Amino acid sequence: MGCYHFHLTQLSRGHGQSAIASAAYRSGEKLYSSYYGEVNDYTRKGGVILSEIHLPDHAPERFKDRETLWNELEWEESNKKAQLAHSFDIAFMNEFSMEENIELARRFVREQLVSRGMIVDLAIHDPKRLDDKEPNPHMHIMVPIRPLKEDGTWDVKQKKIPILKEDGTPVLNKNGKPKMKAVPVNDWSSKETLTELRKAWANLCNELYEEKGLPQRVDWRSYEELGVNQIPTVHEGPSVRAMEAKGMETALGSLNRMIRKFNQMLQDAKELLWKAMFQEGQLQEKMMLTKKPTIAEYLMEYYEQRNEVAETFAYGTQKAKTTNLKEFTTTISFLQQEHIDTPDELTARMQTLEKLIREKKKGIEDKAATLSLAKEGIRAWDEYQKMQPIYDELNQKKWFKEKYKEEHKSELNRYYRARRVLQENRNDDGKVPVHKWEYDKSVLPGEIAALKEEKDALFRELKTYQKIQKNIETVLDDKNENSVLEALEKKQVEVKQREVEKPRKRNRGMEL
């Protein structure tokens, strides 16, 4: 069986990643990022044997320059959490020569990626091989997520379409306008496309295996899809392997050791698992035939215990019994209204409420974050408008420009900060969503307050159920305690009987 590793991730600003820095690392080059104003120098990185850019027919020739390509993309993506590029990590086959692997890589890029209109930045690595370790040749592919139009300019990543009912008519919002949803303009990020790409790479490799008369084959499917009851190990990479070879434990190495150990445990425990499942099935069958006490029976026992306690005090006995009766009646009426009869149903309802409370909390947090963004955006917009004349005057000056800049350094810095915030939060059409921010600022506080009220109501209901559950647990704890006391008393009786019997046996022996 050949080694198949085909991994896809997305490079994202939200994860602190930079497209130009990633491209520099993969190509082993020195690239300047005009977006961040920094140099990324990986010219001393070893193991890079090839790096090249493949363009579709409609892409401009200037994108053959790696620095130009990724800088343009960085500036086109204005959102501070924007997804920038697809990043493929694909292992080569050690049974093939490097020339054969390179030809397979170029063919895959040409037939599967460029043919779909993608710009491809390809880099091939052959890191230094460690003693007694398998070689690890592989390729890295970076593809901009944002597509190009036919005229060679950048296109949008998503478009808005109306949400339709079953009869094909649009769903309307409270203002009578159609509700919209964002959908990708292409299928590059779909699960189906990834499956096609994984399958295509496996087919290319298997074709060459067959052509060379080799018995090895690769399969693009996961263990789960193949029906193999195992957890796949994680790709370690050359750095991790080098550290492990030197006796240094790494997180990935430890994870893979744990996975292999767990897979062995799964194999060894298979028969035990089936036996346990059979025994569990028998136990469930017995439990189904056994009548479980209802909540009403537990609560009746609980309040009877409270009445017994009340009887130990002469004063206020009847008043306490009356209070207990009212609580019992109110609780049972509430449970009947909610259709809860057994402890299992009570637990299920509490779990549902806890889930709803978590959802409300998440909704409050999300809306609070959106409100915070709106306030920040409005502040930036106001600052931008206020400082714009100073910036314009600076650009119009022909003399004493540096002096003016120094005199208005604080105002200009405020302008630049505000402009950066606005650039990072523009819509896909490049416009600043001031009206949306103002709408969010006026509407979201009310929505957050409503969600808090709903959460508090759910929490009060949950507290009621928790009190009932606590009363039931008190009854069960008392029963367990009584069972333990009974067992101890029985044990003490047995010990005393043995102590009484021992002298009798000795006496009979002495008589003989």
Side-chain angles (χ1 to χ4, degrees), residues 491-508:
K491 187 72 175 177
Q492 290 173 351
V493 170
E494 292 175 355
V495 171
K496 288 179 179 179
Q497 287 178 348
R498 285 197 296 271
E499 291 296 327
V500 171
E501 291 174 357
K502 284 180 182 179
R504 291 178 181 175
K505 290 181 180 179
R506 285 197 295 271
N507 290 339
R508 283 199 297 270

Side-chain angles (χ1 to χ4, degrees), residues 212-261:
K212 293 171 68 68
L214 297 173
Q216 290 88 347
R217 295 294 184 271
V218 293
D219 199 309
W220 60 273
R221 292 170 295 177
S222 65
Y223 281 158
E224 183 179 356
E225 291 167 322
L226 289 170
V228 178
N229 190 23
Q230 284 190 357
I231 301 173
T233 54
V234 181
H235 181 66
E236 294 177 351
S239 301
V240 172
R241 292 180 181 178
M243 294 170 70
E244 289 282 341
K246 294 177 181 178
M248 300 168 61
E249 286 197 5
T250 63
L252 285 179
S254 299
L255 176 61
N256 280 337
R257 283 188 287 274
M258 184 176 68
I259 290 173
R260 293 187 189 99
K261 184 176 180 180

Side-chain angles (χ1 to χ4, degrees), residues 13 18 20 32-38 70-71 73-80 420 423-424:
R13 281 202 196 118
S18 159
I20 196 98
Y32 173 72
S33 171
S34 59
Y35 187 84
Y36 292 103
E38 61 186 17
W70 295 111
N71 269 313
L73 179 76
E74 288 277 13
W75 281 106
E76 190 67 27
E77 299 289 354
S78 58
N79 195 301
K80 61 184 177 182
R420 182 64 178 268
Q423 284 179 337
E424 290 178 346

